[in-house]
Amino acid sequence: MRRFFIRQLHGNLTGLKKSQINGLERLYRRRVPVEEVVSDELAWRMAELSEETGRQVGVLIGRSGAVEYVIVGDERSLLIPELSDFPLGRKLLRGLRLVHTHLRGEAITSDDLSDLALLRFDLIAALLPSLHGQRLDIQIAHLVPPSPRTTQPYTIERPQSLSAFTLDFGPFISTLEASLKESRQESREVAGATERGILISVTTQSPEEAGDSLDELQELARTAGVSVLDRVIQRQKSINPRYLMGEGKMREVVIRALQLGATLLLFDQELSPAQVRSISRMTELKVIDRSQLILDIFARRAKSLDGKVQVELAQLKYLLPRLTGKGVQMSRLMGGIGGRGPGETKLEIDRRRIRDRIARLERELEELSKGRRERRRKRVKAGLPIVSIVGYTNAGKSTLLNALTRSEVFTENLLFATLDTATRRLRFPREREVIITDTVGFIRSLPKSLMGAFKATLEELQDSDLLIHVVDAANPRFEEQISQVDAILEELELGDKPRLLVYNKSDLVSALRKKDPVSFIRVRQAGRRYRAISVSALDRTSLDPLLAELEKLFWAGEQDPWSIPPEEFPADDVE
């Protein structure tokens, strides 16, 4: 006698008779010819079981024709189980087709189409029985490539009699996958990166502020090597605590991302652990926020031991509250009734290891901080003025340091190109010199954990006699960036430090005179208001006013005009 392995039924089995359960389990034994969507025998048997149980019955069929999942719903719908045996990954389609019954003969529903688009089924088919069970119709829907002619990612065919329905499934699915692959290839050629993301902002800010913030997020994405396929901004009176935006809108965004071939959803707002879990349940795409993206950039670019330790510490502090598991019911730490037994879960072991690692990193950071304090003490003892360069990320701080000291600190037109402090000597005539330090750039919405970790590096600013605040004057948001830097300096208790405002990229500002006279006038007026010194870090001859001002500030009692060209100044490293 042949034995069949009874596979698990999924869904709502409450109240079913033993005979009904046996009938549903026997659906696993049926196979569908590879050239058919569903066999007539399987379709009619599903319709009979559906009528008998008063519930929707569905099957998920693989490309080989085997029934992989049998699902029981209620009168109106069914719930798709977790498809762990058929992960989507980077595949275009999941390799499963959903065939299910509709008790009242209603057409394919919006829930069906949402499942089709979100779960990337090969197709979805609804079996529509007549009132007297004499006739069985079938209606199918399947995904289509993105097109400017339609906003929907799918097409719905008209219902037709099952007996007259013909569709050679093999050639159909091959053609569909080829067309989807072609459209995705086009988006890849435009994007040109392995990671492809959709930027999402859900905010109560004005459209201008939301757009500016998303522009900055796009630059962060470019720095991290993520190609942006689309941007979504939704302004709301209040933020949805579960998805940020409404669930329906969130589904639309996920479907759009899947249609474009995105690999991640990138949120401009920081997501709570609960929000990450809720959105992740809806899609298999990676879900990250601005903070996580910044941490990733820092992890890639930190080169010094200080920087690496601080980045790892910030990442672990960000990760710890986001570890999820079964909760406390398996925990010996809970104690009392129900708390005894198997001991620590893997989740708690992970958490304990992270806490231990955080403690070790904090001790290591303190040791490194002692070394920095000793070096700073020697500088102060030498009696040399100490100048620190601060400013918004990508304002040109490292380029200015290189121009002033003829050094070669790494520079690139990317956000956070510099993460490690660099200290150099800047020499003036008659053996005058100052110590000048480049620091990590600031940015809006800097993660609190990262801010705390980098306070150790920013200790350099405490001993500074002067802060040179470098501003990208060619940036349309330069005034907002000035305010952001001022706010961060206040948070670091550096608001009382003497500051010298330097408008960098004066060459680009000059180009605005013809292209955008209004912006040019605005920059000039703001410069006079802030008493800023205009320079171009790419042109050493433009630095004379800045150098003269530094001499005036530090050696006001000595009259020694600037006479030696900047290119003749020797430079050497302090450390």
Side-chain angles (χ1 to χ4, degrees), residues 254-531:
V254 171
I255 290 170
R256 176 66 175 164
L258 292 168
Q259 189 182 24
L260 293 176
T263 57
L264 61 87
L265 302 177
L266 180 50
F267 285 81
D268 195 27
Q269 290 71 35
E270 184 163 345
L271 300 174
S272 68
Q275 288 166 340
V276 172
R277 289 194 294 272
S278 296
I279 298 169
S280 296
R281 289 192 194 103
M282 189 180 290
T283 177
E284 295 173 36
L285 298 173
K286 284 187 283 186
V287 178
I288 64 175
D289 58 20
R290 171 187 275 255
S291 297
Q292 196 170 354
L293 181 66
I294 293 174
L295 288 169
D296 183 77
I297 294 170
F298 274 48
R300 293 185 189 195
R301 296 195 169 272
K303 303 299 181 187
S304 69
L305 181 58
D306 277 5
K308 290 177 180 178
V309 170
Q310 288 166 150
V311 169
E312 184 181 354
L313 182 60
Q315 285 181 313
L316 292 176
K317 287 183 175 180
Y318 180 87
L319 175 64
L320 186 60
R322 288 164 173 79
L323 285 179
T324 58
K326 294 181 179 179
V328 298
Q329 66 270 25
M330 296 291 287
S331 170
R332 70 176 180 183
L333 304 179
M334 181 177 67
I337 297 174
R340 303 178 181 89
E344 288 180 303
T345 63
K346 183 179 183 302
L347 172 64
E348 285 182 340
I349 292 172
D350 290 342
R351 283 177 172 162
R352 179 164 51 80
R353 285 175 176 167
I354 287 178
R355 290 191 187 99
D356 291 344
R357 179 64 177 162
I358 286 173
R360 285 196 297 272
L361 289 172
E362 286 178 337
R363 288 194 296 269
E364 187 175 351
L365 202 57
E366 179 58 30
E367 289 299 316
L368 292 169
S369 184
K370 288 178 182 178
R372 285 194 301 273
R373 285 196 293 269
E374 180 61 24
R375 291 193 294 272
R376 292 203 310 274
R377 187 186 65 78
K378 290 179 180 179
R379 292 176 203 156
V380 173
K381 188 176 180 181
L384 296 177
I386 299 175
V387 177
S388 292
I389 302 176
V390 299
Y392 212 76
T393 180
N394 205 28
K397 299 180 297 299
S398 299
T399 306
L400 180 62
L401 178 70
N402 288 341
L404 288 170
T405 63
R406 295 181 62 84
S407 53
E408 296 182 355
V409 174
F410 174 77
T411 62
E412 192 172 352
N413 185 25
L414 293 172
L415 302 187
F416 296 117
T418 302
L419 291 184
D420 304 309
T421 58
T423 302
R424 302 289 184 266
R425 289 181 188 267
L426 171 61
R427 288 190 180 167
F428 293 82
R430 296 175 59 181
E431 299 305 317
R432 296 167 176 165
E433 62 183 23
V434 299
I435 294 173
I436 186 165
T437 301
D438 185 20
T439 59
V440 63
F442 299 149
I443 196 170
R444 78 174 85 193
S445 305
L446 192 66
K448 293 295 182 184
S449 57
L450 198 57
M451 193 68 181
F454 270 83
K455 277 186 178 179
T457 295
L458 296 173
E459 287 171 358
E460 302 283 349
L461 303 178
Q462 297 288 349
D463 297 321
S464 299
D465 299 296
L466 176 69
L467 303 181
I468 295 180
H469 180 175
V470 179
V471 178
D472 178 1
N475 190 305
R477 302 186 298 274
F478 72 94
E479 290 186 277
E480 180 188 341
Q481 292 179 354
I482 291 173
S483 300
Q484 291 281 343
V485 172
D486 288 344
I488 293 173
L489 289 174
E490 289 288 344
E491 187 176 342
L492 294 170
E493 299 179 356
L494 296 167
D496 296 333
K497 284 283 181 184
R499 258 173 272 179
L500 180 61
L501 199 67
V502 174
Y503 268 23
N504 190 24
K505 306 185 184 180
S506 60
D507 52 329
L508 299 180
V509 173
S510 297
L512 291 175
R513 186 190 292 269
K514 291 184 178 180
K515 292 192 300 183
D516 189 354
V518 175
S519 296
F520 175 76
I521 294 171
R522 173 172 160 259
V523 173
R524 292 289 297 272
Q525 289 176 341
R528 285 194 290 268
R529 187 168 66 251
Y530 289 117
R531 296 183 180 179

Side-chain angles (χ1 to χ4, degrees), residues 6-74:
I6 303 300
R7 301 180 67 176
Q8 177 187 358
L9 296 177
H10 300 273
N12 180 20
L13 307 181
T14 305
L16 293 182
K17 299 177 183 177
K18 179 69 172 176
S19 60
Q20 293 169 340
I21 291 176
N22 289 338
L24 290 163
E25 287 176 340
R26 281 194 288 270
L27 294 179
Y28 277 115
R29 305 181 185 182
R30 298 181 180 268
R31 293 189 66 86
V32 177
V34 293
E35 68 276 7
E36 296 182 12
V37 172
V38 61
S39 65
D40 289 358
E41 294 80 6
L42 176 58
W44 277 105
R45 182 57 184 145
M46 289 173 61
E48 291 168 2
L49 287 168
S50 186
E51 184 178 3
E52 186 179 338
T53 59
R55 308 177 189 192
Q56 288 193 9
V57 174
V59 293
L60 289 169
I61 305 171
R63 297 274 177 92
S64 66
V67 175
E68 303 291 350
Y69 297 83
V70 175
I71 312 164
V72 183
D74 55 26

